Amino acid sequence: MTAGSGRSGPLYRHTQFGAATAGPALAAAVVLAAAGLRAGAPRILLAAAAAAALAAWLFGSLTVEIDEERLSVRFGPGIVRRRIPLSSIRAARPVRNRWYYGWGIRLTPHGWLFNVSGLRAVELEFHSGRRFRIGTDEPERLVAALESATGRSMAGDAPS
């Protein structure tokens, strides 16, 4: 598919809410704000509540989009994001992360990971040999969308 194919909007878009990231951060914000107000609003508690609310806003969801030229991954409103040219992706496959890889932005033995919830992900392998994992609750659909966007199989030689 080319940029001039007449399509409008992304070929694929999926947003996953971060139950493991946003929920606890919002709960912490509410508890800290309530405790701060009850205690006569010590600034440290209100600042901590604001920081927790900001973290929930910045990292509370993960949106993956694919257009004719690139795959984009962004947390929350998009201040933290990564754009990957489709031409740089050699292979993609569904994987399961270990529980201790956690959520957020992590460096794992399999390269960088962007994740907001759950253990399932898609591992991208680039022509350079580097890898990048995208946490998602629909890994098979994401791989299928990459195959549709590139017009080729994403199986490659299975990444290790």
Side-chain angles (χ1 to χ4, degrees), residues 59-81:
F59 296 99
S61 65
L62 185 68
T63 300
V64 180
E65 290 185 2
I66 299 173
D67 64 24
E68 290 87 357
E69 298 176 4
R70 74 185 57 82
L71 176 146
S72 300
V73 185
R74 73 174 186 270
F75 283 99
I79 295 170
V80 178
R81 72 175 72 202

Side-chain angles (χ1 to χ4, degrees), residues 91-97 110 119-125 132-147 153-156 158-160:
R93 69 178 180 126
V95 294
R96 185 169 179 86
N97 291 318
H110 307 281
L119 301 177
R120 299 188 309 162
V122 168
E123 183 175 282
L124 305 177
E125 183 177 346
F132 177 69
R133 286 189 174 190
I134 302 167
T136 179
D137 54 352
E138 53 177 48
E140 293 81 11
R141 284 192 63 215
L142 177 52
V143 171
L146 282 166
E147 290 178 342
S153 170
M154 285 283 123
S160 57

